[in-house]
Amino acid sequence: MEMIEQLADTILRFGLIHNLEVLYEEETDSYVIESGERRTRALDYLIAKFGDGRENAETDAAEYKMYLKNVKQYADEGYPCNVKKKIAGDDESSEEEQIRAKIESKIRLRIANEEVRREDPARTQAAVRELHNLYTQLNALASGRERINVNEKVAQEFGVSARQIKTYMSIDKLIPELRQLFEQNSITLKNGANYAKLSETEQREIVALIQNGGDKQERKLLTDQLVAAQKQIKQREAEISTLEKTQNEVLAFKSQQEEKIRQLREELENSVKSTTGHQAELEETRERLADAEAELKRYEQLVKKIEREKEEERIKLEKETRKKMDPAPVMRAALQVENLLQMIAGVTAEFKDILDKYAAAYEASDGEEVTAPEEYREKYKQVTRL
């Protein structure tokens, strides 16, 4: 309402600068506002405030004069509108054209509504998603060259990059608990997009960490660890997939080689049985057979080698999968250790500085009834010994 009152004040002083954009629906004999809901509410507010002509505590004579000059005409004659073509009951339009017109109307409405409402990331994400869905629907009605890159088109409407639109769209991959935290502005768009890269189980680790009081640093450490582990697992899976593809190719060659050997053996057997067979031809066939058998042996060795490599990758994959199954306690403990190490490093530097000053003062004194610096150094070594 505060924003409506601010806009009303502007209209009161300067009048309505831009007409409302409306769409006429013949079936209901009504006008649907596409752009100008805030202006409409501002005009409603001004007419309700000044329309009875009284000058009460809320209105002074100067404001009422501005109302008579800039607003009263709208109370008498109606609000000025730019009317778009009707989309219902139009006999000349095909069903597809009417559907397209409705989608385009929703797109214009969404764009107009978001022009002044970009402060809330959750609201913007919802607007991006809706506009993305509308342009996707419009694309489904288009053909060939008429189709657009939806991410780029939405990015153009919002004045951001296509990559940023992908970031907004990734929020839809969050589990409900994290989605709610995003909508409450408890987690940022950037963090939400990072969490969206994780599996449902991993996202629940993040929720558990948040519920247990984990701060931003702990969450980042856990997320980075989960993303890194996920990346390693995907690499292992890709390597296994490549090995399996290579193995299938080798098995196909091996099968071809076995068929070639079968044919050569049959050819050799027929040549031996034939009384007209020449010795040279027999030797050539035997050599070809020996080469084919040697090639087959190489393929068999290669298959075994690939199988061993696949097994090694599977073992690595299992280890990495187990390692990331329950990382939250480990991550939290690791962060605590790092924080303590930083504290120890700071205290050690401070201790050394103070001990050096004490040693200088000790040398300048007679040294009676005070502890020698060497004793303090020895005590420090005993305290810090793990």
Side-chain angles (χ1 to χ4, degrees):
M1 193 59 201
E2 182 180 352
M3 295 180 67
I4 298 298
E5 291 179 3
Q6 291 174 358
L7 179 59
D9 183 66
T10 301
I11 294 175
L12 182 66
R13 295 175 182 277
F14 304 105
L16 188 64
I17 298 174
H18 298 293
N19 292 348
L20 311 178
E21 300 288 336
V22 301
L23 198 66
Y24 177 64
E25 287 190 342
E26 185 175 316
E27 288 182 352
T28 57
D29 188 28
S30 60
Y31 295 89
V32 179
I33 298 175
E34 286 192 331
S35 175
E37 180 186 355
R38 293 173 65 252
R39 281 169 281 166
T40 301
R41 293 187 183 277
L43 288 171
D44 292 344
Y45 169 78
L46 291 171
I47 292 171
K49 183 176 180 179
F50 295 99
D52 56 9
R54 294 180 302 174
E55 298 177 20
N56 51 37
E58 296 181 1
T59 62
D60 57 28
E63 286 184 329
Y64 186 66
K65 287 180 181 178
M66 286 189 287
Y67 168 78
L68 294 176
K69 177 183 177 183
N70 296 323
V71 181
K72 187 175 183 302
Q73 57 181 315
Y74 307 133
D76 297 337
E77 303 170 6
Y79 301 170
C81 301
N82 295 329
V83 183
K84 301 287 180 63
K85 66 179 182 179
K86 53 192 174 184
I87 59 176
D90 189 347
D91 297 333
E92 297 180 0
S93 299
S94 66
E95 182 179 356
E96 182 177 312
E97 288 173 334
Q98 292 183 42
I99 294 173
R100 185 191 300 273
K102 288 181 180 179
I103 294 173
E104 290 174 344
S105 172
K106 291 179 181 178
I107 288 173
R108 288 193 296 271
L109 177 61
R110 171 49 70 189
I111 293 172
N113 283 345
E114 288 307 312
E115 285 179 351
V116 293
R117 302 177 185 179
R118 301 288 176 85
E119 299 85 2
D120 185 355
R123 178 187 174 85
T124 302
Q125 193 276 334
V128 166
R129 182 177 66 251
E130 182 179 349
L131 200 58
H132 195 282
N133 291 339
L134 288 170
Y135 273 121
T136 300
Q137 293 175 34
L138 207 58
N139 245 6
L141 298 173
S143 59
R145 297 178 181 177
E146 294 180 351
R147 292 182 178 175
I148 59 172
N149 184 308
V150 174
N151 284 332
E152 290 183 359
K153 184 63 177 177
V154 177
Q156 181 182 351
E157 301 292 3
F158 280 83
V160 298
S161 66
R163 184 175 181 180
Q164 183 74 350
I165 295 301
K166 290 181 180 179
T167 299
Y168 277 116
M169 292 298 293
S170 70
I171 296 298
D172 287 341
K173 297 178 182 178
L174 290 176
I175 60 175
E177 294 88 341
L178 287 176
R179 180 60 185 257
Q180 185 178 11
L181 290 172
F182 171 74
E183 291 172 352
Q184 294 170 348
N185 292 320
S186 297
I187 59 175
T188 65
L189 174 64
K190 182 180 178 181
N191 287 339
N194 285 334
Y195 300 155
K197 298 175 184 176
L198 305 175
S199 67
E200 180 178 341
T201 302
E202 292 166 341
Q203 288 187 44
R204 297 202 180 281
E205 290 287 348
I206 299 294
V207 173
L209 186 59
I210 294 173
Q211 292 174 342
N212 290 329
D215 58 21
K216 291 181 180 179
Q217 190 176 6
E218 287 179 299
R219 278 183 264 165
K220 183 179 184 305
L221 186 64
L222 175 58
T223 304
D224 290 347
Q225 181 69 16
L226 289 171
V227 170
Q230 190 180 74
K231 185 177 180 181
Q232 288 180 333
I233 288 174
K234 286 183 178 179
Q235 287 177 344
R236 296 293 179 202
E237 290 173 343
E239 289 169 3
I240 291 173
S241 177
T242 300
L243 287 170
E244 287 178 344
K245 183 179 179 181
T246 303
Q247 186 180 36
N248 290 334
E249 292 174 351
V250 172
L251 287 171
F253 287 132
K254 178 175 173 288
S255 179
Q256 293 174 5
Q257 203 66 21
E258 288 171 341
E259 176 61 21
K260 182 178 179 181
I261 290 172
R262 187 192 66 77
Q263 292 176 358
L264 286 171
R265 285 175 176 168
E266 185 178 325
E267 181 181 337
L268 182 61
E269 185 179 349
N270 292 335
S271 297
V272 171
K273 291 179 179 179
S274 174
T275 55
T276 59
H278 298 288
Q279 187 64 29
E281 293 178 354
L282 289 173
E283 288 300 323
E284 182 185 354
T285 302
R286 289 193 181 97
E287 289 178 4
R288 288 164 57 199
L289 178 60
D291 291 341
E293 289 174 339
E295 188 71 12
L296 176 61
K297 189 174 182 179
R298 284 196 292 271
Y299 282 134
E300 289 173 344
Q301 291 173 345
L302 184 56
V303 169
K304 291 179 181 179
K305 179 176 179 293
I306 294 174
E307 192 59 46
R308 286 195 301 271
E309 292 177 355
K310 278 173 57 181
E311 186 59 28
E312 290 173 1
E313 292 298 329
R314 286 195 188 97
I315 292 172
K316 292 177 183 177
L317 178 60
E318 289 176 2
K319 288 181 178 179
E320 287 164 1
T321 302
R322 285 197 302 271
K323 190 168 62 176
K324 75 161 195 166
M325 286 300 290
D326 188 21
V330 178
M331 291 300 99
R332 193 157 196 174
L335 184 62
Q336 291 173 344
V337 171
E338 288 182 8
N339 289 338
L340 287 172
L341 283 173
Q342 292 176 3
M343 290 174 58
I344 291 170
V347 170
T348 299
E350 184 179 1
F351 175 80
K352 183 178 181 301
D353 183 56
I354 294 174
L355 187 59
D356 288 344
K357 292 178 181 178
Y358 176 76
Y362 180 84
E363 292 179 2
S365 68
D366 54 15
E368 294 181 358
E369 299 182 357
V370 291
T371 304
E374 290 74 15
E375 292 184 36
Y376 282 125
R377 287 194 176 90
E378 187 60 31
K379 287 181 180 179
Y380 178 76
K381 289 179 183 179
Q382 293 175 359
V383 169
T384 57
R385 185 179 296 122
L386 293 177

